[in-house]
Every structure is written in structure tokens, then in C-alpha cells.
Amino acid sequence: PSCRRYVAGGRCKSTARLEGKVVVITGANTGIGKETARDLAQRGKVIIACRDIAKAEAAASEIRAETGNQEVIVKKLDLADTKSIREFAEKFLAEEKELHILINNAGVMLCPYSKTADGFEMHLGVNHLGHFLLTFLLLERLKQSAPARIVNVSSLAHHGGRIRFHDLHGEKCYNRGLAYCHSKLANVLFTRELARRLQGKFQRQAGFTANALHPGSVYSELVRHSFVMTWLWKIFSFFLKTPCEGAQTSIYCAVAEELDSVTGQYFSDCQPAYVSPRGRDDETAKKLWSVSCELLGIQWD
């Protein structure tokens, strides 16, 4: 019915091939990440970077069987542990000479208060800082492989977020719904500042872009930490996108030819979407960048 079609939203119509190209997708063992991997595996080589290797292997073998593409590879990556992120990057750089598309897809949502191995609040640590560090470690390989794309999966929830520099790790005040919103705003600001820096240092003609997106409200395991949300998700599943529908904008940002030189943008339903005023604040974006570098102990100029 037309209502269902409306819920499904935009579809990626690009038939672009990715022969000889390498894609890394974080958290692609379930949900929209898995559907993104399934689509891109019909086009080229896909590396699934996940914490749960058993789940990831099951997803990868299903995708290999379905697409006939044997180059769907699983590598271990725990975004809640900077040691694991560094090990993943080291192995990747030793084994892969090129990287054309990095999709920072993995995320946690509505976790009870907890911290990562490095003492970061879990939403901020996984959704923002983990991907920030991963992108930093893989950046040179992306530059060498340009044209290249970085795709950050954010959310409409960024509208409810703010960067609370005085309490980044929620030690003074914590609300798990808001913590998720804050981390998704961080994704938008990171994308904005990254695009700005890439344009400055690495000219546009190389086609090196960074964009963010809202996948839509998707029926997935992301709400597993909240009984109420899980229950609501079930009741309203008709009004939620399937993971396949939710993956369309990620796929669009990764392959659509018309985005070759589009950077620093935010998409929803395979088209540009409205960014909250906080998500357009360049001063906050710059400050978040330097604070992130400080927390991670890296120099990224």
C-alpha cells in the first residue's frame, strides 16, 4: 500500500560497480549495516568489521552465498576499546593496499550508564570517539586510494543532542536517550569538520568526501537495551523501515555518482536533509575535534 511505500522512503538507484575497490563497514553483522554489506558485496570487496566474530561470520557466509562474492571478509573490531581499534587498523593496513569507502555504521543506543575500556561514556565512546580514531588511522590509506568516501551513519536524533563539554562522559548527569542524541550530533559535527579539513588540504578534484546520514526509523536490534522501546518497536513495526530500506541512504552515500564531489552534507531518504543549528556550529565542531584528539591521545592536524 502507498502508506508502506511512504514509510520505505528513498531508494538508491545507482548501479555503480566497485570492482577492484575495497569497502570497510563497521557493525555490519546485523541491521542496516548487514543490508549495506549485502548490497555492496554485489558490487565489490567488503570487509565487515565487528566485535562479535561469530555473528559476523554467519552474516558474511550468508552474504557470500547470496551474492557469489567470496571477497566478503570479517575482521575483529571493538569500538569500545582503542586497543582493538588500533589492532584492527594495523592488520588492515598490512593486508590491504587500498581503501575506497569507509562506512562508520556501528552504534549503540539507550545503554544503561557504562564506560568503554578507556573510560569514555559508552555512547560517546563507541558512536563518536571509536569511529573518530578509526577514521584517523585509516585516513592515509583512503587518501592514497582517492577518489574515496567516508560515510558516517548519524540520526535524526542529532536534533535532540548537544555537546556538553563540561560533562562529556555523563558523570554529573546521565540520560540514556539524550546520551544517544549527543553522540549522533557528534557524528554530524565530526563529518562537517572532517569535510572542511579535507577540502583545505586535499583538493576537491581528488574526489575525497565525507558525508553523514539519517537512515530512518528502522526496525532493528539497536533498541535491545530498552524494554519499552523494544515493545513500542514491535507494536509500530508497520511504520518502521526494514533494515534493507534503512540501508538505502548509506548505500547512496557510498556509491551514487552524483555525490562524487559532494562533501560535508547530511542526507536522509537519499536526498539532502535539514541539519539542526547545533549541527551547523563550526566553533563547536572545531572544539569537539580538538577535545576528541586530546581524549584519544592523537595529533590530527
Side-chain angles (χ1 to χ4, degrees):
S2 57
C3 166
R4 186 63 222 137
R5 267 204 307 280
Y6 174 75
V7 170
R11 286 196 78 78
C12 175
K13 298 186 174 75
S14 168
T15 54
R17 307 289 309 154
L18 299 173
E19 271 102 1
K21 299 208 166 172
V22 180
V23 182
V24 167
I25 310 177
T26 66
N29 57 357
T30 175
I32 64 173
K34 181 178 172 185
E35 295 307 321
T36 305
R38 192 192 305 272
D39 179 286
L40 298 182
Q42 291 166 14
R43 307 171 191 251
K45 178 172 181 171
V46 174
I47 291 166
I48 292 178
C50 288
R51 189 186 55 198
D52 187 330
I53 291 291
K55 253 189 173 176
E57 281 297 357
S61 65
E62 181 190 313
I63 292 169
R64 284 192 288 262
E66 193 179 304
T67 61
N69 179 2
Q70 294 313 300
E71 287 198 305
V72 180
I73 297 157
V74 171
K75 293 197 193 303
K76 183 164 177 65
L77 169 67
D78 183 356
L79 287 157
D81 184 351
T82 57
K83 191 163 155 282
S84 168
I85 299 169
R86 289 179 179 280
E87 279 166 8
F88 168 86
E90 208 173 298
K91 276 201 180 119
F92 176 87
L93 295 172
E95 290 164 14
E96 300 291 340
K97 292 298 152 245
E98 293 188 303
L99 173 58
H100 303 88
I101 301 168
L102 170 62
I103 303 181
N104 290 320
N105 162 83
V108 293
M109 181 179 178
L110 304 175
C111 311
Y113 189 76
S114 55
K115 287 189 167 176
T116 68
D118 302 87
F120 308 140
E121 186 276 315
M122 191 61 72
H123 293 91
L124 185 83
V126 171
N127 298 356
H128 169 60
L129 292 168
H131 283 129
F132 187 93
L133 178 62
L134 179 67
T135 307
F136 167 75
L137 295 170
L138 299 180
L139 196 73
E140 282 311 309
R141 190 55 41 95
L142 281 155
K143 281 185 179 175
Q144 293 157 6
S145 314
R149 297 184 187 192
I150 296 165
V151 178
N152 294 324
V153 179
S154 177
S155 166
L156 185 67
H158 85 268
H159 286 276
R162 52 174 45 194
I163 306 300
R164 302 167 67 249
F165 290 109
H166 63 287
D167 188 23
L168 269 182
H169 303 295
E171 285 154 333
K172 298 183 184 125
C173 163
Y174 181 75
N175 171 299
R176 53 191 185 168
L178 286 175
Y180 177 71
C181 296
H182 302 333
S183 71
K184 293 289 118 180
L185 174 60
N187 294 154
V188 171
L189 291 167
F190 168 46
T191 306
R192 190 176 178 89
E193 180 63 8
L194 177 60
R196 191 185 70 79
R197 287 165 176 258
L198 293 178
Q199 275 182 310
K201 291 231 173 104
F202 199 68
Q203 284 347 87
R204 260 191 181 164
Q205 70 262 25
F208 191 6
T209 63
N211 290 300
L213 67 106
H214 166 55
S217 300
V218 180
Y219 191 70
S220 76
E221 289 177 25
L222 203 53
V223 293
R224 62 183 171 270
H225 291 293
S226 164
F227 171 74
V228 175
M229 286 292 279
T230 305
W231 185 70
L232 285 170
W233 244 224
K234 281 201 166 70
I235 294 174
F236 292 109
S237 61
F238 181 80
F239 298 103
L240 296 169
K241 292 186 178 190
T242 63
C244 177
E245 290 160 356
Q248 294 304 310
T249 308
S250 296
I251 298 161
Y252 175 74
C253 289
V255 302
E257 298 87 344
E258 63 266 33
L259 299 188
D260 277 346
S261 60
V262 174
T263 190
Q265 300 301 306
Y266 170 76
F267 293 87
S268 176
D269 279 330
C270 301
Q271 56 191 12
Y274 180 73
V275 177
S276 77
R278 288 200 186 106
R280 283 172 283 160
D281 185 331
D282 290 330
E283 287 318 301
T284 306
K286 289 187 178 94
K287 186 173 178 187
L288 178 64
W289 185 284
S290 63
V291 169
S292 301
C293 287
E294 225 166 281
L295 288 169
L296 293 163
I298 58 176
Q299 288 264 304
W300 189 355
D301 301 321

